[in-house]
Amino acid sequence: MIQFELDLANELWTLHQQLISNTYQIAGYTYFTIYEPKEREIQALNYRDRVVQHSLCDNVLTPFFEKRLIYDNAACRKEKGTHFAMNRLTKFLQAHYRRYGSSDWVLKADIRKYFPSINHGVLLKRLEKGIPDPQVMDLLRMIIHSFQQEQDQGLPMGNQTSQLFALYYLDPLDRLIKEQLRIKHYTRYMDDCILVHPDKEVLQECLRQMTILVEDELKLSFNNKTQITPLASGVDYLGWHFYLTDTGKVIRKLRTQNKKKIKRRIKGLQVGFRKGRITAMDIKQSLMATKGHLQHGHTYHLRKKIAETRFHKGE
């Protein structure tokens, strides 16, 4: 990165020339593992290739996809994200309670190993239908084929383009649910889908048709978390458990495993501060970020406990 920035003008000109002459090549990937929110292998490009992807996403892919994605496709989009999706689900649950009480049903659907399973041929065929520029398509083919988990499938987790491809790949599923099955209360965050409806049989038919499309057209499959459950039991979504009270209030409780992760993180901060590995400013920034996230749910006691945490040095 430093070397690229020190010779920025020449580096950008060289990239420009390589792109217009179709001689640009991806240097390859660096592999590492993250453990939050769960263990995953990340495949990261070098800085030079990330510059290309950033420009491609900002100037070509994002404008292209934004015209085509449904409103409730919530991940990795401007003015949307996890809190947007959480608020939409809350609104849906409140609307259903006002009309039907708490006797509704929820279909929660989740794709098995989504990023590693995305089919290159299916993705490219969908992109070719909408992107007329042959040079752009040549670049997209190279990016998509630069990584594979198995034969002709899988997207690298660290690529900016992968996030946008993953948003767009399930658009046929969104269209099926919203336009053909006419499910009004539906939200999707990447491959995590929630449908709310008063009739269980309707959701059973939705799941049947969704499964056909996902397996036959998109070459994917739902995992064992996919199920239809009573709304009265609540629903897990984006690390929170949503449920309705008898008065129609939507309660958001942090899931137990997420509470444990926060507590482990706080303990790690205490140890790191005591041993001099992190500063008071590091702790302040981390706690502020945690507090900001927790404020989107009913977490008063957890926030109070975090606020009362003490940090001591040199013990």
Side-chain angles (χ1 to χ4, degrees):
M1 179 179 75
I2 295 175
Q3 184 177 357
F4 187 96
E5 295 286 350
L6 288 174
D7 196 21
L8 184 61
N10 284 332
E11 289 282 2
L12 292 177
W13 178 251
T14 300
L15 279 175
H16 170 74
Q17 291 295 102
Q18 290 177 345
L19 287 168
I20 63 174
S21 63
N22 287 335
T23 58
Y24 166 77
Q25 294 292 323
I26 291 175
Y29 292 91
T30 299
Y31 296 78
F32 61 93
T33 302
I34 63 171
Y35 298 92
E36 295 290 345
K38 61 183 180 181
E39 184 174 343
R40 286 176 176 166
E41 182 184 75
I42 303 297
Q43 304 84 26
L45 291 169
N46 66 29
Y47 188 76
R48 188 171 184 272
D49 293 325
R50 294 202 301 271
V51 170
V52 173
Q53 294 223 358
H54 190 70
S55 177
L56 176 63
C57 289
D58 286 356
N59 297 303
V60 179
L61 294 181
T62 296
F64 171 77
F65 289 136
E66 279 299 322
K67 296 176 183 178
R68 291 161 173 79
L69 301 177
I70 69 167
Y71 182 74
D72 280 299
N73 183 340
C76 305
R77 298 172 69 188
K78 187 177 180 181
E79 298 180 359
K80 295 188 179 179
T82 56
H83 299 141
F84 169 86
M86 290 168 62
N87 290 337
R88 291 293 285 173
L89 179 56
T90 297
K91 179 180 177 180
F92 296 159
L93 297 180
Q94 290 170 336
H96 268 260
Y97 180 86
R98 287 193 295 270
R99 186 167 181 180
Y100 304 107
S102 59
S103 60
D104 300 335
W105 296 85
V106 176
L107 166 55
K108 177 178 171 63
D110 199 351
I111 301 294
R112 178 181 287 108
K113 297 182 179 179
Y114 183 42
F115 275 75
S117 300
I118 289 176
N119 184 279
H120 291 183
V122 173
L123 175 59
L124 284 168
K125 186 176 181 180
R126 300 201 59 241
L127 292 171
E128 287 165 355
K129 288 181 178 179
I131 297 179
D133 191 315
Q135 278 192 301
V136 172
M137 278 308 308
D138 285 343
L139 179 58
L140 295 180
R141 288 188 194 94
M142 183 184 64
I143 290 171
I144 291 168
H145 289 317
S146 69
F147 173 88
Q148 56 183 9
Q149 198 80 29
E150 295 183 15
Q151 184 66 35
D152 292 328
Q153 69 179 47
L155 296 179
M157 292 289 290
N159 278 9
Q160 187 176 355
T161 52
S162 296
Q163 305 297 318
L164 295 179
F165 292 151
L167 286 182
Y168 185 57
Y169 196 85
L170 288 179
D171 186 65
L173 180 65
D174 297 337
R175 300 292 172 183
L176 170 68
I177 294 168
K178 295 293 291 184
E179 297 171 2
Q180 297 182 42
L181 298 174
R182 299 288 183 176
I183 300 299
K184 182 178 181 181
H185 295 151
Y186 165 70
T187 179
R188 173 165 74 87
Y189 190 93
M190 203 54 78
D191 63 316
D192 198 353
C193 310
I194 301 290
L195 294 75
V196 185
H197 198 275
D199 192 331
K200 184 178 181 180
E201 291 185 359
V202 169
L203 289 183
Q204 289 172 333
E205 176 60 19
C206 287
L207 181 55
R208 187 188 71 82
Q209 294 192 39
M210 288 163 60
T211 301
I212 292 172
L213 182 143
V214 164
E215 293 181 354
D216 294 352
E217 182 177 331
L218 301 179
K219 312 303 181 185
L220 301 170
S221 60
F222 289 122
N223 64 22
N224 56 14
K225 297 178 183 177
T226 299
Q227 57 185 326
I228 299 170
T229 57
L231 178 56
S233 300
V235 58
D236 290 332
Y237 191 45
L238 301 176
W240 297 81
H241 186 73
F242 294 69
Y243 64 93
L244 280 165
T245 66
D246 292 337
T247 61
K249 182 178 180 179
V250 177
I251 302 296
R252 301 172 176 175
K253 290 289 188 180
L254 199 65
R255 295 180 63 190
T256 301
Q257 64 185 39
N258 287 33
K259 289 182 184 178
K260 291 179 179 178
K261 288 177 183 177
I262 289 175
K263 290 175 181 178
R264 287 197 299 268
R265 191 178 307 135
I266 299 298
K267 187 174 181 179
L269 291 174
Q270 289 177 309
V271 173
F273 185 68
R274 187 170 66 245
K275 294 184 176 181
R277 293 199 298 260
I278 60 175
T279 66
M281 181 57 68
D282 294 330
I283 292 172
K284 181 179 180 181
Q285 291 175 345
S286 179
L287 294 183
M288 286 179 63
T290 300
K291 180 181 177 182
H293 179 62
L294 292 178
Q295 284 178 333
H296 289 272
H298 297 81
T299 58
Y300 171 78
H301 294 292
L302 180 57
R303 282 183 282 130
K304 184 172 183 291
K305 188 173 182 179
I306 292 173
E308 293 170 349
T309 302
R310 296 294 176 259
F311 296 86
H312 303 284
K313 212 164 191 178
E315 291 186 0

